[in-house]
Amino acid sequence: MNFNKCNRCGCFFLAEGAICPNCEPKEQLEINRLKNYIEENVGTQCNRNEIISSTGISDKNLNRFLTQKQFSDFASQIQKIDLT
């Protein structure tokens, strides 16, 4: 077990991972929201602000999610969306 700082709220916690147990449910909800958004908008051009306003995910968390390995299956879809 490690002493970590939560990437979402900044609190310190004793557990594995980068997200504290208190933030984990919201983390999963936002990840699912982003996955759904990507699946629903395959092939359309969207900018970062559209993604943020449609999903309610903060810019900070969107950046963090898009670098996670679990989105490797969506890599071709994410590249089609203009995130600049």
Side-chain angles (χ1 to χ4, degrees):
M1 203 175 283
N2 295 327
F3 191 64
N4 296 319
K5 183 176 180 182
C6 180
N7 286 343
R8 286 187 72 93
C9 69
C11 290
F12 290 97
F13 65 101
L14 285 172
E16 296 298 321
I19 305 301
C20 73
N22 292 334
C23 290
E24 189 62 37
K26 188 168 184 177
E27 180 87 349
Q28 289 306 313
L29 178 69
E30 288 185 352
I31 286 171
N32 290 335
R33 214 179 289 156
L34 180 58
K35 285 179 183 178
N36 290 337
Y37 181 86
I38 291 169
E39 289 172 358
E40 292 171 1
N41 292 284
V42 171
T44 62
Q45 292 295 314
C46 302
N47 65 39
R48 182 175 299 277
N49 291 335
E50 290 172 354
I51 295 170
I52 291 168
S53 70
S54 295
T55 62
I57 298 170
S58 71
D59 190 45
K60 173 187 166 188
N61 288 332
L62 179 61
N63 288 334
R64 202 167 40 81
F65 294 156
L66 293 178
T67 61
Q68 291 180 0
K69 185 178 179 179
Q70 67 180 315
F71 285 102
S72 62
D73 291 341
F74 299 105
S76 62
Q77 296 169 6
I78 291 170
Q79 291 171 357
K80 291 179 185 175
I81 299 173
D82 178 15
L83 295 174
T84 58

